[in-house]
């Protein structure tokens, strides 16, 4: 048993999304083995109109997800919160505004997964204006996500770096800082997502630089592995806690029924 007290892992998936393995009970079991006291199940939300069906459960499966979380909560392993990762995309708002309040989620992660940055090849050279445009498009979507007021925490904040394509400091400031200001004004949190350490990007989402800008704006943070298999729950949390401290954080956010409190980590 480790003596470290870990913050909760607030970003995990299940086999229902077709690109992950395990059900909530399996995540709870591994979380307990690793000494985590709390996790949230945050699988990809079902979406109507066939938005990205390869990466999410269909609506009729949602009851299996809810029951899976209830079952994990009943094991008494670690505390298991009922969450969801809900995509923002153009046109999603009327549906989510109706659907999210009908559920009894503890927290709702907001993500933007769309953009041409998925197709980047880190071995190639791209002109700065091209990269800048991709970042601008992504962060414009992220700002729209923030303005909906439908989400609690922004997932993988600087996802366009995923394939390892760098961006200049000037562009970073110009595009990211207004988004952080919007996040702060909306009272939302952001997560430190450790999955980026294993992507070509080779660093957490967001980067240490963005994390310190977030801390300057008193934006609350959560920790998330974005585990797509149960054994990866809580992955690299020592690294993430260290980065959070270096950025100036001493507390992380906890959620219950979408109400936030802050706890030292
Ligand atoms: Zn996923
Ligand atoms: Fe995501
Ligand atoms: Fe995720
Ligand atoms: Zn994710």
């Amino acid at each position: 048993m480790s003596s470290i007290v870990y913050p909760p892992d607030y970003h995990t998936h299940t086999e229902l999304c077709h690109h992950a393995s395990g059900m909530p009970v399996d995540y709870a079991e591994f979380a307990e083995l690793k000494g985590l006291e709390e996790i949230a199940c945050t699988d990809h939300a079902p979406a109507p109109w066939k938005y990205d069906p390869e990466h999410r459960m269909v609506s009729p499966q949602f009851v299996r997800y809810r029951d899976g979380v209830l079952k994990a909560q009943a094991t008494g392993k670690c505390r298991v919160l009922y969450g969801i990762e809900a995509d923002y995309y153009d046109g999603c708002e009327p549906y989510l505004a109706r659907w999210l309040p009908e559920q009894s989620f503890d927290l709702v992660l907001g993500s933007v997964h769309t953009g041409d940055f998925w197709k980047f090849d880190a071995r190639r050279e791209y002109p700065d204006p091209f990269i800048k445009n991709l970042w601008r498009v992504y962060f414009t979507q992220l700002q729209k996500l923030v303005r909906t007021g439908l989400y609690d925490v922004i997932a993988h904040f600087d996802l366009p770096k995923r394939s390892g394509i760098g961006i200049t400091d000037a562009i970073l400031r110009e595009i990211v800082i207004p988004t952080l200001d919007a996040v702060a004004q909306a009272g939302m949190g952001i997560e430190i997502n450790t999955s980026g350490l294993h992507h070509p990007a080779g660093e957490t989402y967001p980067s240490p630089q963005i994390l310190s800008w977030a801390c300057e704006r008193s934006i609350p943070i959560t920790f998330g592995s974005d585990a797509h298999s149960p054994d990866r729950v809580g992955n690299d949390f020592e690294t993430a806690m260290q980065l959070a401290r270096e950025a100036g954080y001493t507390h992380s956010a906890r959620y219950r029924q979408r109400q936030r409190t802050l706890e030292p980590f």
Side-chain angles (χ1 to χ4, degrees), residues 13 17 19-20 43-44 55 85 113 226 228:
H13 291 278
C17 68
H19 63 281
D43 211 357
H44 299 282
H55 294 103
E85 178 177 7
H113 289 109
D226 210 344
H228 282 68

Side-chain angles (χ1 to χ4, degrees), residues 7-64:
D9 185 343
Y10 276 169
H11 194 148
T12 65
H13 291 278
T14 79
E15 63 193 38
L16 293 170
C17 68
H18 317 301
H19 63 281
S21 61
M23 285 300 280
V25 280
D26 307 307
Y27 285 86
E29 192 165 317
F30 270 94
E32 185 175 78
L33 279 173
K34 292 191 176 188
L36 290 167
E37 291 171 1
E38 184 171 307
I39 63 167
C41 298
T42 57
D43 211 357
H44 299 282
W49 312 302
K50 301 247 187 310
Y51 167 79
D52 190 29
E54 307 86 48
H55 294 103
R56 61 201 61 252
M57 61 187 105
V58 291
S59 294
Q61 288 177 310
F62 181 69
V63 63
R64 282 188 57 205

Side-chain angles (χ1 to χ4, degrees), residues 37-250:
E37 291 171 1
E38 184 171 307
I39 63 167
C41 298
T42 57
D43 211 357
H44 299 282
W49 312 302
K50 301 247 187 310
Y51 167 79
D52 190 29
E54 307 86 48
H55 294 103
R56 61 201 61 252
M57 61 187 105
V58 291
S59 294
Q61 288 177 310
F62 181 69
V63 63
R64 282 188 57 205
Y65 176 62
R66 194 204 58 203
D67 290 349
V69 175
L70 287 173
K71 207 168 141 194
Q73 288 172 334
T75 62
K77 292 270 183 198
C78 66
R79 276 190 303 279
V80 178
L81 303 192
Y82 182 32
I84 201 86
E85 178 177 7
D87 288 55
Y88 176 83
Y89 50 94
D90 289 326
C92 72
E93 215 175 323
Y95 168 71
L96 286 179
R98 189 179 66 246
W99 185 75
L100 289 173
E102 287 170 0
Q103 319 308 324
S104 50
F105 291 129
D106 288 303
L107 86 158
V108 176
L109 301 180
S111 312
V112 171
H113 289 109
T114 50
D116 286 341
F117 53 87
W118 293 99
K119 299 174 206 147
F120 273 156
D121 179 346
R123 292 161 300 187
R124 272 187 57 191
E125 290 262 329
Y126 296 91
D128 277 356
F130 176 79
I131 294 174
K132 182 176 178 179
N133 186 54
L134 285 179
W135 277 66
R136 194 188 292 288
V137 168
Y138 172 87
F139 280 96
T140 300
Q141 289 302 95
L142 210 53
Q143 289 191 27
K144 287 200 260 176
L145 178 162
V146 171
R147 283 200 298 269
T148 65
L150 292 170
Y151 310 84
D152 301 309
V153 176
I154 296 180
H156 40 67
F157 185 82
D158 54 354
L159 188 62
K161 74 181 178 191
R162 191 183 194 285
S163 43
I165 305 291
I167 187 163
T168 66
D169 197 52
I171 299 177
L172 194 67
R173 281 173 191 278
E174 183 187 324
I175 294 177
V176 168
I177 286 185
T179 310
L180 286 172
D181 288 338
V183 172
Q185 214 194 341
M188 288 179 75
I190 63 171
E191 67 170 5
I192 307 180
N193 183 315
T194 57
S195 72
L197 292 163
H198 304 278
H199 296 159
E203 60 177 31
T204 55
Y205 306 107
S207 64
Q209 169 67 82
I210 294 176
L211 210 50
S212 66
W213 288 335
C215 189
E216 284 168 15
R217 287 161 179 77
S218 301
I219 295 171
I221 47 158
T222 61
F223 292 81
S225 63
D226 210 344
H228 282 68
S229 67
D231 59 299
R232 299 182 77 85
V233 74
N235 236 18
D236 302 304
F237 270 27
E238 289 91 348
T239 303
M241 289 161 75
Q242 178 69 28
L243 289 173
R245 286 197 191 97
E246 284 166 11
Y249 283 102
T250 55

